Amino acid sequence: MPAADICYTGRMHGDVIGMLNTLRRGGIRDARVLDAMASVPREQFVPPGQRGEAYADRALAIDCGQTISQPLMVAVVVQALDIQAGDRVLDVGTGSGYQAAVLAACGAEVVGIERLTQLAESARQRLTAAGYDIPVHVGDGTLGLPDLAPFDAIAVAATAPWLPPALPRQLSERGRLVIPLHREGEQMDELVRLRLLDGRWVTDNLGPCRFVPLIGGDAYLG
Ligand code: SAH
């Protein structure tokens, strides 16, 4: 059976297939990512009134003025991180918990960090209800989680004015990091990947994007 054509029992089958087609059209080829996106019940991570929109390819409002990222953006980030089973991953800006769940569904051991206590608490509840064992810390993700480092991958889900220097320091030897960066005067943010390859940093521009601001000691002021 082709990857990501498995049966999604009891869930909005047609909507999931539609989302997968959108992801493929958007350049998502990694079967691990497609399978993960197919397996995570996105409707459990959106506000109850918006469940009918759960598989539409757009960001949706969650509590505290924040958003659950658009499915294609989550898939682009997760594909760029090239997650391998057993990778230790830090999810910065856990929000609804959805991206953390997709990372876990790729086989990663995920730790989340979210600055807003209310969102961290509801993300914990949703993740547990959906069967994911993902601790969500409350704190400033611009500082990472040094006590739990190193991480094989770090996903930042909010736009920063620069790369917070604590984050690359917490990557393992072949670590990958994806972060949206805002350049002054530009309309759109830029999704940037940083990889450590044979002791050297390699940076790739993954294209334009738009995220909520990263607020913290080494980013925007709250
Ligand atoms: N990955 C999330 C996206 C949530 S939007 C999802 O799948 O739903 C980005 C989140 O980053 C918001 O919840 C916001 O509160 C959080 N955030 C912003 N600045 C932060 C910081 N310095 N540390 C941790 N979280 C932060």
Side-chain angles (χ1 to χ4, degrees), residues 66-68 93-96 99 114-116 119 139-141 157 212 215:
Q66 305 302 314
T67 53
I68 170 172
T94 299
S96 68
Q99 182 171 279
E114 167 56 54
R115 67 179 276 269
L116 298 172
L119 290 184
D140 180 2
V212 298
I215 295 170

Side-chain angles (χ1 to χ4, degrees), residues 100-188:
V102 173
L103 289 162
C106 286
E109 191 191 310
V110 185
V111 181
I113 181 163
E114 167 56 54
R115 67 179 276 269
L116 298 172
T117 309
Q118 183 186 333
L119 290 184
E121 183 48 39
S122 52
R124 279 184 207 119
Q125 285 171 14
R126 286 196 198 96
L127 287 164
T128 303
Y132 297 96
D133 181 15
I134 300 176
V136 181
H137 296 248
V138 176
D140 180 2
T142 66
L143 307 175
L145 280 174
D147 292 350
L148 299 181
F151 300 100
D152 301 302
I154 299 179
V156 183
T159 297
W162 53 76
L163 173 67
L167 297 181
R169 280 194 215 117
Q170 293 176 31
L171 286 176
S172 66
E173 233 170 71
R174 295 187 65 79
R176 293 86 63 196
L177 180 156
V178 171
I179 185 168
L181 292 176
H182 182 76
R183 305 212 192 278
E184 200 135 333
E186 294 292 327
Q187 288 269 325
M188 296 291 282

Side-chain angles (χ1 to χ4, degrees), residues 3 12 20 22 25 31 41 44 54 63 78 95 117-118 133 147-148 156 170 184 192 210 213 220:
M12 308 141 140
L20 292 174
T22 303
R25 277 198 302 275
Q44 293 187 29
D63 289 340
V78 176
T117 309
Q118 183 186 333
D133 181 15
D147 292 350
L148 299 181
V156 183
Q170 293 176 31
E184 200 135 333
V192 173
R210 183 158 286 150
Y220 295 106

